[in-house]
Amino acid sequence: YNDKINSVIIESSVTSIADYAFFSCISLSQVTFESPSSLKVIESFAFGLCDSLTSLIIPDSVTTIESNAFVDCRALKQLSIPSSITLLTDCFQNCMSLTKVTIPSSVEMIGNNAFSGCSSLVDVKIPSSVKIIGNNAFSECTSLVGIDIPSSVNEIGNYTFMNCSSLSNVSIPTSVSEIGEKTFAYCSSLKEISIPSSVTKIGNNSFAECSSLELLTIPASVIEIGCYAFLKCTSLKKIVIPASVKKIGVSAFSNCPSLDEISIPSSIDQD
């Protein structure tokens, strides 16, 4: 903790910034990296809780940003992620003022909690290099309106977009085979979702309390619908369950008061 440091210059010879190096430097508003930078690693919590830091250009030399490196930088509005990064961990969690993120085409995985709690985030561009979006990666991004998931993504984790309460438009690619637990739970502005024909499992609570969800088509590829999958989808009016489905979990469609038509195949093994 230090409340007197206002600015920092990282000299070009520095190769790493250690754990907690500037943690809770609440007055730190400017970080300058000397050019050409030799910086390779920004370690865990290095700039965590730097409440006055509003913008940051991470140099192209950086290859690793460790867990929670910028956690709770609540004033951070502008961010440049270098094209040398391949993995984004939970490094920007709770950056509540961050409005836009461009993820470079070098990134292959958006890790667990990467942008969780970035409640002002409106615009995210996910490049076609990304293969995995981890658990909670964009959960609690309450200003996020829409997101395009590229066809390169083959895994979307649990809770990934949970409580993205402004999310009204999302595209799931045919490369995805499973919608995880609470992936879209509490997305109260989501009116329509197209589940691709590659999906075989809709996980527990996947769309729970998506209170605006009206239209839903379950493709013939789906074998299992998890427990509470559509719990409290209060606007859902009609659903057709294909003959491919063998299992519907407990209370999968519980408390859906607008649901007046549902077609269930005879092959169901209901819990």
Side-chain angles (χ1 to χ4, degrees), residues 14-76:
V14 174
T15 58
S16 68
I17 300 175
D19 293 351
Y20 294 92
F22 300 99
F23 181 76
S24 198
C25 288
I26 59 174
S27 298
L28 181 63
S29 61
Q30 184 175 2
V31 177
T32 304
F33 298 92
E34 277 190 352
S35 182
S37 178
S38 302
L39 188 65
K40 298 293 184 186
V41 181
I42 301 174
E43 296 185 4
S44 299
F45 294 95
F47 293 96
L49 280 170
C50 289
D51 276 350
S52 299
L53 191 62
T54 58
S55 65
L56 187 71
I57 300 174
I58 301 170
D60 290 339
S61 57
V62 174
T63 57
T64 303
I65 304 173
E66 293 187 355
S67 176
N68 293 294
F70 298 96
V71 68
D72 290 320
C73 287
R74 290 174 285 224
L76 187 64

Side-chain angles (χ1 to χ4, degrees), residues 23-226:
F23 181 76
S24 198
C25 288
I26 59 174
S27 298
L28 181 63
S29 61
Q30 184 175 2
V31 177
T32 304
F33 298 92
E34 277 190 352
S35 182
S37 178
S38 302
L39 188 65
K40 298 293 184 186
V41 181
I42 301 174
E43 296 185 4
S44 299
F45 294 95
F47 293 96
L49 280 170
C50 289
D51 276 350
S52 299
L53 191 62
T54 58
S55 65
L56 187 71
I57 300 174
I58 301 170
D60 290 339
S61 57
V62 174
T63 57
T64 303
I65 304 173
E66 293 187 355
S67 176
N68 293 294
F70 298 96
V71 68
D72 290 320
C73 287
R74 290 174 285 224
L76 187 64
K77 293 180 180 180
Q78 296 179 317
L79 172 68
S80 176
I81 302 171
S83 58
S84 48
I85 298 292
T86 58
L87 167 66
L88 286 175
T89 60
D90 54 346
C91 40
F92 301 108
Q93 188 174 4
N94 295 331
C95 291
M96 298 167 64
S97 297
L98 196 62
T99 58
K100 181 179 180 180
V101 171
T102 300
I103 298 169
S105 57
S106 56
V107 172
E108 297 179 357
M109 178 178 178
I110 301 172
N112 298 346
N113 301 294
F115 297 99
S116 176
C118 293
S119 55
S120 297
L121 191 60
V122 175
D123 188 17
V124 179
K125 298 286 189 293
I126 300 177
S128 58
S129 56
V130 173
K131 298 178 176 66
I132 297 172
I133 303 175
N135 299 339
N136 278 300
F138 295 98
S139 65
E140 308 284 343
C141 290
T142 53
S143 297
L144 190 63
V145 175
I147 192 161
D148 288 324
I149 303 171
S151 59
S152 57
V153 173
N154 53 47
E155 182 180 332
I156 300 174
N158 300 325
Y159 316 98
T160 304
F161 298 99
M162 183 179 72
N163 202 25
C164 290
S165 54
S166 298
L167 188 66
S168 60
N169 179 35
V170 63
S171 172
I172 303 172
T174 56
S175 49
V176 172
S177 61
E178 182 176 331
I179 298 174
E181 183 174 346
K182 290 191 175 181
T183 299
F184 295 100
Y186 318 118
C187 290
S188 55
S189 297
L190 193 62
K191 291 186 176 182
E192 184 177 354
I193 187 83
S194 178
I195 300 173
S197 58
S198 55
V199 170
T200 59
K201 181 180 178 180
I202 298 172
N204 296 344
N205 292 280
S206 286
F207 297 95
E209 298 193 40
C210 289
S211 55
S212 297
L213 187 63
E214 297 177 359
L215 299 174
L216 174 72
T217 301
I218 298 177
S221 56
V222 173
I223 297 170
E224 180 179 348
I225 298 172

